[in-house]
């Protein structure tokens, strides 16, 4: 067994089973700071950069990962011990595996350990991109109104704290005393991504350093536009609070900072203990936090990088002027279909997405009733894409038995996902007078799932930032069948629209009286 770190790479390479970085790790320099280093980032953006580095270029675009949340300490420990290295294994439906060690993450900083180190890294002129995978909820906006939520605890703290540092040079680097001890300090440390991004940009402007590009890689429509709106809202409130003195920052961010949109795609389950064991037993590598994903990958990115970017197009990234058609295709066909199979699959007693994707009733419900009849009409023409072939490929990807993507993962954080992905589809179809029966059934399946117990009395954990709220609403279904829909922050005015409530109420009644199988059979054969 070989513990994964830089010194172990020659031994791993000599076995010939696992590809390793074909470049000296000491040639990497940080050009990107990334917030939210998880499985998806490491299977996607970091993988593309590793490919570029292996081709002999862009080694000045290595990643410095940043973690903000208490749970990110585990990633700090894993990547620090392993010199930023980790194993990525992609799995094709035919069982073919492609294992490789990824080397594009040069550094990882856990912000609570040393906030000034994070700000210093972001203020460094060599950093030209700050990228984000902070999840849908990480943008701190109300999905119904689209407004920034200033009252969130961590945001409110940032909006009342000055982040000036002492003992830092003009670029924002931490100072040291004669014994090499860091003497820089913060009057208060940022707690949010917004705090770090805006403060780092303030320091760069003060130092005469060009701003970095902010590149959101999250599954939200117009992710770059959303990041810009939310960061500007935060910055303007700090300006109004006098925290930037006589040099307000928001207008400068709006005029000088680029926020490209992009579409990202790769199914990446949460790393399971079985994955760690597989890499140890099959490849003799002791990796604290590997990543396993499907073999499919796609990245469509708007080419808006004033201070430069890696040569992404050399490794298959589609660089375009307008990402929206690709983005809507992915959100409304893949992501919404994941919601379709998640709750119904769990109610049917299934565990994995591959089971749900071949179920005799759930598969045609997803592929025909939702994708064809409701999802596709809400997708514009996508250049170079055959939507029928794309939808067929989606079902094949969902059915990949090698990946073992759990329905529990797909059902998590629903209050961020359904309002962001599915509710806009429902609203567009209602406005156009189109059928919404499948979408209503999906929302009803979430409402039934939020009751917290299955059809045989089994209990499951509802993982959601609004867990107590959605479960409390679901608990009143007997008294008020529309209770779940009455949350206007999540559903807008859907509870007042009979064209939606009629199929929703019917679906919920069948789910609660006769079960998921009966409802799916009725919808598919009706």
């Amino acid at each position: 067994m070989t513990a994964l770190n830089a010194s172990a790479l020659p031994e791993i390479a000599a076995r010939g089973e696992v590809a390793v970085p074909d470049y000296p790790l000491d040639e990497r320099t940080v050009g990107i700071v990334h917030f939210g280093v998880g499985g998806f980032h490491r299977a996607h953006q970091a993988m593309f950069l590793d490919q570029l580095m292996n081709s002999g270029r862009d080694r000045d675009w290595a990643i410095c990962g940043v973690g903000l949340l208490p749970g990110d300490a585990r990633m700090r420990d894993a990547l620090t011990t392993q010199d930023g290295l980790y194993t990525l294994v992609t799995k094709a439906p035919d069982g073919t595996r492609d294992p490789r060690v990824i080397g594009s993450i040069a550094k990882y900083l856990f912000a609570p350990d040393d906030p000034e180190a994070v700000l210093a890294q972001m203020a460094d002129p060599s950093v030209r991109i700050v990228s984000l995978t902070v999840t849908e909820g990480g943008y701190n906006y109300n999905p119904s109104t689209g407004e920034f939520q200033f009252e969130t605890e961590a945001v409110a703290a940032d909006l009342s704290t000055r982040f000036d540092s002492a003992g830092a040079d003009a670029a924002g680097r931490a100072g040291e005393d004669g014994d090499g001890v860091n003497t820089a300090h913060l009057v208060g440390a940022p707690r949010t991504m917004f705090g770090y991004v805006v403060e780092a940009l303030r320091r760069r402007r003060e130092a005469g350093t060009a701003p970095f590009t902010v590149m959101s890689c999250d599954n939200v429509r117009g992710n770059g536009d959303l990041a810009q709106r939310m960061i500007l809202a935060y910055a303007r409130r700090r300006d109004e609070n006098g925290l930037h003195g006589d040099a307000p920052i928001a207008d400068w961010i709006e005029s000088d900072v680029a926020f490209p949109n992009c579409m990202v795609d790769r199914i990446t389950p949460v790393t399971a203990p079985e994955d760690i064991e597989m890499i140890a037993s099959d490849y003799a590598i002791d990796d604290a936090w590997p990543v396993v994903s499907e073999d499919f990958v796609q990245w469509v990115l708007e080419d808006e990088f004033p201070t430069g970017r890696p040569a992404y197009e050399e490794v298959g990234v589609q660089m375009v002027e307008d990402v929206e058609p690709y983005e809507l295709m992915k959100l409304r066909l893949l992501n919404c279909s994941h919601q379709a199979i998640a709750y119904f699959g769990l109610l049917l007693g299934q565990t994995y997405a591959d089971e749900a994707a071949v179920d005799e009733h759930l598969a045609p419900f997803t592929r025909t009733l939702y994708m064809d009849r409701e999802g596709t009409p809400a997708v514009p023409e996508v250049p170079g894409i055959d939507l029928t072939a794309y939808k067929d490929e989606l079902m094949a990807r969902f059915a990949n038995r090698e990946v073992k993507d759990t329905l529990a993962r797909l059902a998590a954080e629903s209050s961020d996902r359904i309002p962001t992905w599915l509710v806009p589809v429902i609203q567009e179809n209602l406005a156009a007078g189109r059928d919404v029966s499948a979408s209503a059934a999906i929302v009803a399946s979430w409402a039934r799932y939020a009751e917290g117990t299955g059809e045989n009395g089994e209990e499951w954990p509802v993982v959601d930032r609004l867990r107590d709220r959605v479960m409390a609403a679901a608990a009143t279904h007997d008294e008020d069948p529309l209770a779940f829909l009455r949350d206007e922050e999540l559903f807008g005015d859907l509870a007042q629209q009979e064209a939606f409530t009629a199929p929703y109420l019917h679906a919920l009644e069948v789910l609660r009286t006769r079960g998921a199988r009966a409802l799916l059979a009725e919808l598919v054969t009706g």
Side-chain angles (χ1 to χ4, degrees):
M1 185 71 65
T2 303
L4 182 58
N5 53 48
S7 63
L9 293 181
E11 179 184 345
I12 295 171
R15 297 179 195 150
E17 295 179 317
V18 179
V20 302
D22 191 24
Y23 49 90
L25 297 184
D26 59 8
E27 290 186 4
R28 302 171 302 175
T29 57
V30 172
I32 299 173
V33 169
H34 183 81
F35 284 84
V37 176
F40 178 77
H41 171 71
R42 295 189 293 149
H44 195 271
Q45 298 100 56
M47 178 277 300
F48 281 110
L49 281 170
D50 183 71
Q51 288 184 352
L52 281 170
M53 293 177 182
N54 276 320
S55 73
R57 63 182 305 159
D58 290 338
R59 293 172 189 171
D60 59 337
W61 287 101
I63 298 164
C64 171
V66 174
L68 297 176
L69 303 176
D72 294 328
R74 181 186 164 205
M75 186 65 73
R76 171 202 62 194
D77 296 342
L79 290 180
T80 301
T81 302
Q82 297 178 179
D83 300 313
L85 302 170
Y86 60 93
T87 313
L88 169 65
V89 180
T90 61
K91 295 182 175 183
D94 64 3
T96 303
R97 295 180 184 174
D98 181 16
R100 59 184 56 248
V101 174
I102 303 296
S104 56
I105 299 180
K107 183 189 294 188
Y108 188 89
L109 298 174
F110 182 54
D113 286 344
D114 191 347
E116 183 62 32
V118 176
L119 288 168
Q121 183 71 76
M122 296 174 73
D124 190 320
S126 65
V127 171
R128 288 146 287 168
I129 295 174
V130 169
S131 54
L132 312 171
T133 48
V134 294
T135 76
E136 300 81 7
Y139 294 91
N140 193 52
Y141 71 106
N142 182 310
S144 180
T145 66
E147 298 299 317
F148 190 75
Q149 300 182 121
F150 295 102
E151 68 279 5
T152 304
E153 180 186 359
V155 167
D158 275 5
L159 288 171
S160 61
T161 304
R162 194 175 295 278
F163 301 141
D164 307 277
S165 64
D169 64 22
R173 296 176 182 279
E176 294 182 351
D177 65 19
D179 297 320
V181 177
N182 186 347
T183 59
H185 65 275
L186 295 171
V187 173
R191 292 175 57 185
T192 68
M193 172 271 289
F194 307 101
Y196 280 100
V197 168
V198 171
E199 174 62 12
L201 286 169
R202 186 195 68 79
R203 294 186 183 195
R204 290 175 79 105
R205 185 184 66 171
E206 186 177 82
T209 303
F212 45 68
T213 295
V214 177
M215 181 175 71
S216 169
C217 297
D218 281 297
N219 278 319
V220 290
R221 181 178 181 179
N223 46 21
D225 297 337
L226 177 65
Q228 181 185 45
R229 290 198 308 274
M230 298 305 108
I231 288 170
L232 282 174
Y234 170 91
R236 286 203 170 94
R237 182 60 60 90
R238 281 187 65 84
D239 286 346
E240 292 167 4
N241 291 349
L243 292 168
H244 299 138
D246 58 358
I249 192 76
D251 288 346
W252 180 78
I253 293 174
E254 185 171 22
S255 63
D256 286 44
V257 180
F259 292 83
N261 295 300
C262 75
M263 181 270 268
V264 294
D265 191 4
R266 171 164 266 184
I267 295 173
T268 308
V270 175
T271 301
E274 293 80 6
D275 297 322
I276 297 173
E277 293 168 8
M278 177 269 292
I279 287 167
S281 61
D282 293 3
Y283 306 116
I285 296 175
D286 181 9
D287 187 336
W289 204 336
V291 184
V292 173
S293 77
E294 65 171 337
D295 57 336
F296 178 92
V297 66
Q298 187 177 21
W299 192 2
V300 185
L301 177 61
E302 289 178 351
D303 201 352
E304 186 184 0
F305 294 84
T307 54
R309 61 168 174 80
Y312 289 127
E313 69 275 8
E314 298 294 327
V315 287
V317 179
Q318 296 168 256
M319 306 302 300
V320 301
E321 291 185 5
D322 181 13
V323 78
E324 185 175 47
Y326 301 91
E327 187 175 61
L328 291 177
M329 173 187 73
K330 193 258 182 170
L331 294 174
R332 294 180 172 186
L333 295 178
L334 186 153
N335 293 108
C336 287
S337 296
H338 262 164
Q339 303 311 112
I341 66 174
Y343 318 108
F344 272 116
L346 288 167
L347 290 167
L348 291 171
Q350 297 162 351
T351 301
Y352 296 104
D354 62 89
E355 300 173 77
V358 298
D359 182 87
E360 61 176 322
H361 296 119
L362 186 48
F365 169 81
T366 303
R367 176 62 182 82
T368 302
L369 299 191
Y370 174 73
M371 285 191 189
D372 283 349
R373 298 184 186 177
E374 299 183 27
T376 300
V379 175
E381 182 177 351
V382 186
I385 300 292
D386 178 336
L387 284 183
T388 298
Y390 179 78
K391 290 179 284 189
D392 289 341
E393 183 178 37
L394 287 182
M395 294 303 295
R397 290 169 60 195
F398 296 168
N400 185 342
R401 299 179 62 186
E402 301 298 317
V403 173
K404 290 301 176 190
D405 196 13
T406 65
L407 295 172
R409 180 186 81 87
L410 302 182
E413 303 301 342
S414 305
S415 63
D416 288 334
R417 296 176 173 184
I418 292 286
T420 302
W421 300 339
L422 185 60
V423 170
V425 175
I426 296 168
Q427 290 169 333
E428 287 190 22
N429 283 332
L430 286 172
R434 294 190 291 257
D435 184 39
V436 292
S437 298
S439 297
I442 296 168
V443 176
S445 70
W446 175 27
R448 172 65 185 86
Y449 164 81
E451 293 180 4
T453 57
E455 294 180 4
N456 296 311
E458 68 275 25
E459 295 186 1
W460 47 54
V462 175
V463 178
D464 197 295
R465 67 183 178 88
L466 301 181
R467 176 184 181 275
D468 292 344
R469 189 161 120 194
V470 297
M471 292 191 74
T476 65
H477 280 150
D478 285 338
E479 296 78 30
D480 179 7
L482 284 177
F484 199 76
L485 278 189
R486 296 193 194 281
D487 191 327
E488 293 187 358
E489 180 181 331
L490 301 181
F491 299 108
D493 66 352
L494 290 186
Q496 283 77 52
Q497 299 207 42
E498 186 178 359
F500 182 80
T501 60
Y504 170 84
L505 288 171
H506 175 73
L508 184 62
E509 179 184 11
V510 175
L511 284 168
R512 300 188 74 231
T513 57
R514 295 191 285 133
R517 178 67 65 192
L519 176 60
L520 288 168
E522 174 188 308
L523 291 170
V524 169
T525 61

